[in-house]
Amino acid sequence: MPKKTLFRRALLRHAELSLAVAFGLAALPAQAQNAYPSKPLRIVVPFSPGGGINILSRTIGQRLGDQRKVSVVVDNRPGASGNIGTDIAAKSPPDGYTLLMTANTIIMTPSLIKTTPYDAVKDFMPVSMLAIGSLVLVTRPNLGIKTAKGLLEYAQANPGKLNYGLPGNGTPHHLAMELLKQRAGVDIVHVPYKGSGGLVSDVIGGQVDVAFLPIHQAMPHVKTGKIVMLAAGGAHRTAVTPDVPSLEEALNICDIDVDMWYGFYLPAGAPKPVAAKLNAEVNAILRQPEVGAALTAVGLQPGGSTPEQLAARTGSDLARWAKVVQQAKLSAD
């Protein structure tokens, strides 16, 4: 066989091998995505252990691990109003193996703390909404007010006479009351506490007139008559107390959604197929009856979403709460 023919065949064979290698390498990311997750997952929770969000993280984390046969580690990183853990998640490798589970404080904090180290929109890829944690409007029993409308009328007739308690400046409870004050046009004096324990005791004891409390925290005292519940939920009634009107119903005031929400995020730049896979699995988990029962027991209403719905909620609430903070001139502790 002529040398030129042999040389041409050698070149052709080399080209075929090169193409095969190239196609093989190109297929690796898809194979890796199909195998996801192939190593342990980490769920960063930017709050201390305990409370509804930790039950939420462990409930979902355990089932994700069981389904995918990998371990899931819940990594509590509290501090700086959630900034420490949130920043850790934002700066983690965007490979789909570190997730952030957080409350809507992720979009409240940037308006309260100007040195917030993350951008709630640019630094994260939304995965899914997880649950709603309703705040309820309560009063001390000896105030003699039984309805939210009655409270509003009293506050309008007696500006500055009522006080409200909150478990810390810049908390969702604080922003909720300031939103109510702005929408209703009333003057109620705020009394900050260091945590919820003393606040609840002083509502029961009659030192605090009114407060917003998480529904699971208020319900035991409502049942015994030590606290009066005036409204439950912001825009909509909560399934935990279906017979109690929401703030919007009770006061006929629009755009007064004070409820807390919880969501799952990935660091920005994570593979979109991974986010889609996580979204599908998390939403399936939230539909399980035993998961619904576990979350309802701590006052959470399970409810998933698409990534696009969480992205829209993140952006709209970021702007909404920024206006409340600016108008009330608030800051976090």
Side-chain angles (χ1 to χ4, degrees):
M1 186 177 293
K3 289 184 178 181
K4 287 185 178 180
T5 302
L6 289 172
F7 181 69
R8 287 172 184 164
R9 288 186 176 179
L11 284 176
L12 180 61
R13 179 60 178 162
H14 178 74
E16 290 173 346
L17 288 172
S18 297
L19 284 171
V21 170
F23 280 119
L25 289 173
L28 283 178
Q31 293 169 357
Q33 289 168 11
N34 290 335
Y36 175 89
S38 58
K39 62 181 183 180
L41 296 172
R42 178 174 69 144
I43 298 175
V44 177
V45 178
F47 307 104
S48 301
I53 193 170
N54 283 278
I55 293 173
L56 186 61
S57 62
R58 283 167 171 76
T59 299
I60 293 178
Q62 179 184 345
R63 283 163 175 77
L64 272 178
D66 290 345
Q67 289 178 188
R68 286 295 166 179
K69 310 301 181 186
V70 295
S71 61
V72 177
V73 178
V74 176
D75 186 7
N76 291 92
R77 295 297 188 96
S81 300
N83 277 352
I84 291 176
T86 305
D87 190 44
I88 288 171
K91 291 180 171 56
S92 296
D95 55 6
Y97 286 90
T98 296
L99 295 99
L100 173 70
M101 181 183 288
T102 189
N104 58 343
T105 49
I106 190 175
I107 50 85
M108 293 177 172
T109 304
S111 298
L112 295 161
I113 302 176
K114 301 305 179 185
T115 56
T116 297
Y118 64 85
D119 186 303
V121 174
K122 295 179 181 179
D123 291 343
F124 293 99
M125 175 182 288
V127 174
S128 180
M129 291 277 288
L130 300 173
I132 298 293
S134 291
L135 290 176
V136 299
L137 182 65
V138 301
T139 66
R140 55 184 174 89
N142 57 359
L143 186 61
I145 294 175
K146 303 299 183 183
T147 66
K149 186 177 180 181
L151 177 72
L152 182 60
E153 291 172 347
Y154 183 91
Q156 289 172 336
N158 300 275
K161 187 172 182 179
L162 291 176
N163 66 58
Y164 76 90
L166 54 103
N169 288 322
T171 56
H173 318 62
H174 190 182
L175 269 64
M177 187 62 75
E178 290 299 324
L179 176 64
L180 174 59
K181 288 169 59 179
Q182 291 173 17
R183 293 286 185 271
V186 294
D187 178 17
I188 306 176
V189 180
H190 87 276
V191 181
Y193 285 76
K194 292 292 185 181
S196 296
L199 167 59
V200 173
S201 296
D202 282 358
V203 174
I204 294 172
Q207 288 79 39
V208 172
D209 297 322
V210 61
F212 273 110
L213 296 176
I215 191 166
H216 71 280
Q217 196 173 58
M219 281 306 297
H221 306 295
V222 171
K223 290 178 179 178
T224 59
K226 295 178 179 178
I227 287 178
V228 176
M229 183 188 298
L230 305 179
H236 307 286
R237 295 190 183 201
T238 168
V240 181
T241 55
D243 297 328
V244 179
S246 68
L247 275 176
E248 187 170 306
E249 284 182 278
L251 300 178
N252 195 27
I253 297 176
C254 296
D255 193 20
I256 196 166
D257 187 358
V258 299
D259 286 338
M260 296 179 65
W261 51 260
Y262 300 87
F264 243 156
Y265 296 84
L266 287 165
K272 289 185 178 180
V274 167
K277 181 174 287 189
L278 282 169
N279 175 272
E281 295 194 357
V282 166
N283 276 273
I285 289 170
L286 290 170
R287 288 192 293 268
Q288 295 175 8
E290 61 272 22
V291 171
L295 298 183
T296 301
V298 294
L300 298 179
Q301 300 178 67
S305 74
T306 65
E308 293 76 18
Q309 287 170 330
L310 177 55
R313 186 69 181 266
T314 301
S316 63
D317 274 12
L318 184 68
R320 183 166 70 100
W321 288 116
K323 291 180 181 178
V324 173
V325 169
Q326 183 178 17
Q327 184 173 335
K329 299 179 181 179
L330 304 181
S331 63
D333 285 335

